[in-house]
Amino acid sequence: MDTETILPAGADKLGEKCGIIGIYLNKVMENQKTDDATNSAMGTAPDGSAEEASYNAAKLAYYGMYALQHRGQESAGIACTNGTDIIQHKEMGLVADVFDGAKLDEMGGKIAIGHVLYTTSGQAHIENAQPFVNRFKLGGIAVAHNGQLVNYDQLKEFLEETGSTFTSQSDTEVIIKLIAKSYKKGLERALTDTIQMIKGSFALCVMTEKSLIGVRDPNGIRPLCLGKLENGWVLASESCALDAIGAELVRDIRPGEIVIINDDGVLSFEFGEHTAKRSCVFEYVYFARPDSIIDGIPVQEARLRMGAVLAEESGVKADVVIGVPDSGLGAAMGYAKASGIPYAMGIVKNKYIGRTFIAPTQTEREKLVFVKLNAMKSDLQGKRVVIIDDSIVRGTTCKRLITILRRAGAKEVHFRVSSPPVKYPCYFGVDTPSRSQLISSTHDVEEVRKEIGADSLAFISCEGMMRALEGLNPESFGYCKGCFTGEYPVSVPGELNGKQL
Ligand code: AMP
């Protein structure tokens, strides 16, 4: 389930950071105005107006960002170029609120990059909205970043000492300033120099007037994939964005790989030393859309299998299995199938609750969960219920959910979680609270059970979660499980962004 929508603006909240997209078009499609659903999405502005045959990379980025909206709802931005200058538009808000048909038509673009933001290192202000654009004598550059740098403070200090000034608290500004510093050596050199200096997680879409560049950090912590359009190329955080614009998934960008896309095609090279793949396992647990395929693993399939392993590890006698919408549903279906207990809907989520749904007081916020989620008496009355969620972080959501289920007449409530207990903060782009606020860091499983009011509580084991994934694509094995184990792929300072280790 997604919790940030019921928290007040600025509250200590959970969050995921960012979705990025890049579009490179190598020819104008003359036949864009068709009735075909995909093509009409590409050829018709959101206001329904007809379009002249011209480059429309900004519009494709827009539709891709729409599909990535679950990765960030604070701001949306697109930078694009027709080959001479880079223009951009970014504002706070959802993709559909920030852009309209006229704006996208005006932007056009042979190349475009787009970004949806959920802040981690900075705060939710327009200065932190992306992409970041820098203009030099030799040309411009724009950067969209998903991830978080662990050496931001040191790099910023170094840059300030050598004359750079900053307008935001975003670590992405450090990236663009570093590129700027060595830009006169040429773009490739500037990029490789920069990438070797930055540490942490970074999936990047970089754009100049002539090329689109994709980069994934040496551990591949955050996802980035490459897609093919009939008339160009796409880079995106998740493959669901490729589907939305009729692009075909070619492959994932490899950890430590740079791809440069221009009219000659896609040029790939590796930077730095070889390090082990350590992609974020929480993408499969919670972040990613179930219809995405990340590093060769369909997200929904991963969730189904996590649910099945959970049923093997901690089965219980019950009459019905339900999932917490949306991210708990896959695991619940997997649990039901493996255990043979019937699956039911059980909970309905109000689809119309967005970021604006905020409340000033804790009491009011607690009440709002009843507006956001409701239980179906017909599925639950008098039944022993197994409820599956993808994670317990602070423990507030599950506590309220259990109250809702009991009100709807559930006789017993058995809470099952398709990820291990979250005990440690994330330093790589997930805005988890500090350890003291992570319920599993301060309580053992039995104490959590009492606290949330469940009849029984069980989490999938770390080995079980790995078993679920291993079976799917052994070749892409290797995950960051830092939030569960406290072992991180890149060493982090003892205290970072106010989070105590
Ligand atoms: P909590 O109420 O703090 O225990 O949060 C657990 C709920 O938050 C689960 O329903 C998860 O689906 C959801 N969740 C997990 N990680 C995140 C995140 N990074 N941002 C927003 N919601 C999350």
Side-chain angles (χ1 to χ4, degrees):
M1 197 199 113
D2 180 51
T3 52
E4 93 286 328
T5 50
I6 55 168
L7 295 169
D12 184 17
K13 57 190 182 283
L14 300 171
E16 70 207 65
K17 196 188 179 192
C18 308
I20 57 174
I21 187 153
I23 309 281
Y24 187 96
L25 299 179
N26 45 33
K27 65 173 188 280
V28 177
M29 300 296 286
E30 298 295 338
N31 60 343
Q32 285 179 337
K33 285 177 271 170
T34 74
D35 288 337
D36 169 84
T38 308
N39 283 339
S40 68
M42 293 187 210
T44 310
D47 64 0
S49 63
E51 182 192 54
E52 287 166 31
S54 56
Y55 282 118
N56 61 353
K59 196 177 293 175
L60 290 173
Y62 167 87
Y63 286 110
M65 285 156 67
Y66 226 115
L68 297 173
Q69 186 78 82
H70 60 289
R71 298 184 70 88
Q73 301 96 39
E74 306 213 41
S75 71
I78 295 176
C80 70
T81 181
N82 279 318
T84 46
D85 192 17
I86 295 178
I87 53 167
Q88 68 164 328
H89 178 69
K90 56 186 180 182
E91 273 175 22
M92 302 309 287
L94 299 174
V95 177
D97 300 330
V98 172
F99 295 94
D100 60 22
K103 176 50 85 187
L104 292 166
D105 281 345
E106 179 196 314
M107 291 184 84
K110 177 175 159 66
I111 315 172
I113 62 172
H115 187 274
V116 289
L117 174 80
Y118 200 114
T119 49
T120 47
S121 65
Q123 289 169 349
H125 296 308
I126 186 66
E127 309 86 70
N128 296 332
Q130 299 196 34
F132 280 90
V133 178
N134 239 45
R135 295 183 179 86
F136 319 104
K137 262 195 231 136
L138 298 171
I141 190 161
V143 176
H145 169 211
N146 173 208
Q148 190 173 359
L149 306 187
V150 293
N151 60 344
Y152 166 75
D153 288 337
Q154 296 96 302
L155 291 174
K156 189 169 178 218
E157 207 177 302
F158 158 75
L159 284 162
E160 280 173 338
E161 276 165 11
T162 53
S164 298
T165 50
F166 289 84
T167 56
S168 78
Q169 301 116 304
S170 166
D171 49 4
T172 312
E173 202 180 1
V174 159
I175 300 178
I176 201 155
K177 296 278 158 126
L178 285 171
I179 299 176
K181 272 232 159 327
S182 40
Y183 201 73
K184 51 182 174 308
K185 296 183 200 161
L187 175 65
E188 281 175 37
R189 185 66 199 283
L191 263 175
T192 37
D193 283 1
T194 300
I195 286 160
Q196 273 153 5
M197 288 178 84
I198 58 180
K199 301 274 173 270
S201 65
F202 50 92
L204 303 173
C205 281
V206 180
M207 186 188 90
T208 68
E209 288 89 352
K210 303 284 175 249
S211 54
L212 170 68
I213 298 125
V215 183
R216 204 169 167 197
D217 69 66
N219 298 110
I221 299 175
R222 294 278 150 239
L224 189 66
C225 62
L226 174 72
K228 177 95 188 75
L229 284 163
E230 205 181 327
N231 60 333
W233 299 94
V234 188
L235 294 166
S237 295
E238 287 183 40
S239 65
C240 65
L242 307 184
D243 299 334
I245 57 173
E248 190 189 321
L249 174 62
V250 176
R251 64 176 177 86
D252 292 273
I253 303 304
R254 289 183 285 273
E257 182 183 11
I258 301 182
V259 289
I260 300 187
I261 302 170
N262 54 32
D263 277 343
D264 299 329
V266 180
L267 176 74
S268 153
F269 59 98
E270 286 179 5
F271 61 90
E273 80 281 21
H274 274 275
T275 34
K277 174 178 172 286
R278 290 285 178 265
S279 62
C280 170
V281 75
F282 222 68
E283 291 282 348
Y284 297 101
V285 169
Y286 169 78
F287 293 156
R289 256 175 53 163
D291 51 334
S292 286
I293 300 172
I294 296 182
D295 290 330
I297 298 181
V299 173
Q300 175 70 352
E301 191 60 28
R303 291 183 186 162
L304 289 167
R305 291 180 64 125
M306 287 177 196
V309 171
L310 191 56
E312 272 168 36
E313 288 185 343
S314 49
V316 61
K317 283 211 170 87
D319 306 306
V320 68
V321 176
I322 65 172
V324 183
D326 297 309
S327 41
L329 299 182
M333 288 174 204
Y335 189 104
K337 192 162 179 220
S339 64
I341 304 171
Y343 175 81
M345 195 169 170
I347 299 174
V348 176
K349 177 174 156 191
N350 187 329
K351 291 196 193 82
Y352 303 98
I353 289 176
R355 288 286 306 157
T356 48
F357 191 63
I358 54 172
T361 67
Q362 179 66 24
T363 334
E364 216 175 320
R365 287 201 297 276
E366 302 221 339
K367 281 190 199 143
L368 289 179
V369 85
F370 303 117
V371 180
K372 184 175 182 180
L373 297 168
N374 197 17
M376 321 241 303
K377 281 204 178 75
S378 53
D379 282 341
L380 306 171
Q381 185 103 46
K383 295 202 175 134
R384 296 168 299 175
V385 180
V386 180
I387 174 165
I388 319 274
D389 202 358
D390 61 273
S391 56
I392 293 183
V393 182
R394 283 197 189 77
T396 42
T397 308
C398 49
K399 191 171 175 173
R400 294 173 207 164
L401 273 168
I402 292 168
T403 312
I404 292 175
L405 299 187
R406 295 215 194 271
R407 275 194 202 166
K411 199 166 74 184
E412 289 172 19
V413 179
H414 301 279
F415 211 96
R416 295 291 178 270
V417 189
S418 59
S419 64
V422 175
K423 293 187 180 174
Y424 303 91
C426 174
Y427 298 95
F428 303 102
V430 183
D431 195 15
T432 44
S434 61
R435 268 193 86 176
S436 60
Q437 293 164 297
L438 297 169
I439 192 168
S440 296
S441 172
T442 49
H443 298 62
D444 66 20
V445 176
E446 175 54 16
E447 287 166 344
V448 176
R449 183 198 67 74
K450 278 201 197 124
E451 179 63 29
I452 66 174
D455 291 291
S456 76
L457 169 68
F459 294 82
I460 196 173
S461 66
C462 227
E463 303 70 49
M465 182 173 66
M466 288 301 105
R467 193 149 40 88
L469 290 168
E470 198 169 15
L472 284 169
N473 186 359
E475 276 166 36
S476 90
F477 203 68
Y479 299 96
C480 174
K481 308 182 282 277
C483 52
F484 307 121
T485 62
E487 286 158 27
Y488 302 100
V490 179
S491 61
V492 291
E495 189 180 331
L496 200 63
N497 293 332
K499 294 172 185 170
Q500 305 285 340
L501 258 179

